[in-house]
Amino acid sequence: MRSARDSEQPHEPSEIAEAFTTAELRLDPPPGAYEELRHRAAARRRRRLVAVTAAVVLSAGGTTVVAAMARSDGEQGQAPVAAEPPPRDEQRAEPPPEPSSEPSDEPAAPPTGQAEPDAGDTPPVEEENETAGASTPSVCATEALALGVENPNAGAGSLMYTLAFTNTGDTACTLTGFPGVSLLTAEGGEQIGAPAVRGPEGGEALRVELQPGGTARADLRLARAENYPAEECSPVPAAGLLVYPPDETDALFLPREGVTGCTDEAVGLLSVTVVY
């Protein structure tokens, strides 16, 4: 055993202990190391600036996802750095393209927010134009009509006539309803007795369209004045018939021979139907 005295004496270093003892050495960095580090830091800042600029351009073009990758020189396997999008007020939209002056065969697109019309919603332009052009003809004017008599017939105590209205104009026209008929002492003379009453024999009044040269007709019955007592009839000879076309105020004169009228308006000799 070692005595306390031996333990108080200092140990002398041995060669083995010196072999395992490492001296603490500090080495200075090689020349140019700091410049290299600054160069790499500046390169990283430039790449970040390029990534942010690319993010602004892509965001203005409508791209919602922006990815920017930066890789340091000589460093492999480093994770890409995602660029942060710039504030909304710093984003600028690209100006719209100028309209081309060249004609295009493609149909124009509808305004934003407006739906394109379906084929079934398209108005029938041609049908509307045809309907507008095929308007109802106007009423036949008196000066555009020629008046004649067809199928005169002497019945029991009456004379039967068919009044014929012929369109002499260049355009179509219409006649609807009853003509007005009365006896005259002469052309341009005085009316004899009462005008014709509207008889129900012709039925309901309908619109009759006359093309140029077309004819519409109405039946007229003329009772013989000789069938009535002279004191009631007060007979006088008539020169013909004064006829007003339906809805007209100008009349046509139709000469007739051998006709007698009653001056007493209480005696009705004439009855007419609607045109047909």
Side-chain angles (χ1 to χ4, degrees):
M1 296 181 58
R2 295 177 63 182
S3 63
R5 188 174 181 178
D6 295 335
S7 61
E8 292 178 357
Q9 293 179 359
H11 295 279
E12 295 180 359
S14 64
E15 296 180 357
I16 298 175
E18 291 178 357
F20 287 95
T21 301
T22 302
E24 183 179 357
L25 298 177
R26 293 184 180 180
L27 299 178
D28 294 332
Y34 291 111
E35 287 77 4
E36 180 67 19
L37 292 176
R38 285 196 295 270
H39 175 72
R40 292 183 179 182
R44 284 195 294 271
R45 285 195 296 272
R46 286 195 296 271
R47 283 193 291 271
R48 290 194 185 97
L49 180 60
V50 171
V52 171
T53 304
V56 172
V57 174
L58 292 177
S59 176
T63 304
T64 58
V65 179
V66 178
M69 300 179 61
R71 189 181 302 272
S72 58
D73 296 340
E75 295 179 0
Q76 301 295 330
Q78 184 176 354
V81 179
E84 296 181 359
R88 185 178 299 272
D89 54 356
E90 294 182 4
Q91 299 179 6
R92 294 185 180 179
E94 296 183 357
E98 297 182 358
S100 177
S101 59
E102 298 181 359
S104 176
D105 297 334
E106 298 182 357
T112 304
Q114 181 177 355
E116 297 184 359
D118 296 336
D121 297 336
T122 305
V125 178
E126 297 182 357
E127 294 181 3
E128 291 180 359
N129 294 338
E130 293 176 0
T131 304
S135 58
T136 303
S138 59
V139 176
C140 295
T142 301
E143 58 268 20
L145 294 173
L147 179 61
V149 174
E150 296 177 352
N151 306 321
N153 184 20
S158 299
L159 297 175
M160 304 297 298
Y161 301 105
T162 298
L163 302 177
F165 300 90
T166 301
N167 181 10
T168 60
D170 298 331
T171 59
C173 61
T174 62
L175 291 175
T176 306
F178 296 87
V181 183
S182 59
L183 291 171
L184 288 185
T185 57
E187 183 176 2
E190 296 180 358
Q191 178 177 319
I192 300 174
V197 298
R198 296 179 175 183
E201 298 84 2
E204 183 181 359
L206 300 175
R207 182 173 61 89
V208 180
E209 182 174 336
L210 299 181
Q211 297 297 327
T215 300
R217 297 168 178 82
D219 295 330
L220 176 68
R221 182 178 64 84
L222 173 60
R224 294 182 181 274
E226 293 83 359
N227 297 337
Y228 299 90
E231 60 274 13
E232 296 180 5
C233 175
S234 301
V236 293
L241 300 171
L242 184 68
V243 180
Y244 290 89
D247 300 321
E248 281 294 298
T249 57
D250 294 333
L252 298 169
F253 180 73
L254 182 63
R256 300 306 298 169
E257 295 181 357
V259 177
T260 302
C262 294
T263 57
D264 190 347
E265 294 185 357
V267 180
L269 301 180
L270 298 172
S271 176
V272 69
T273 68
V274 294
V275 294
Y276 57 89

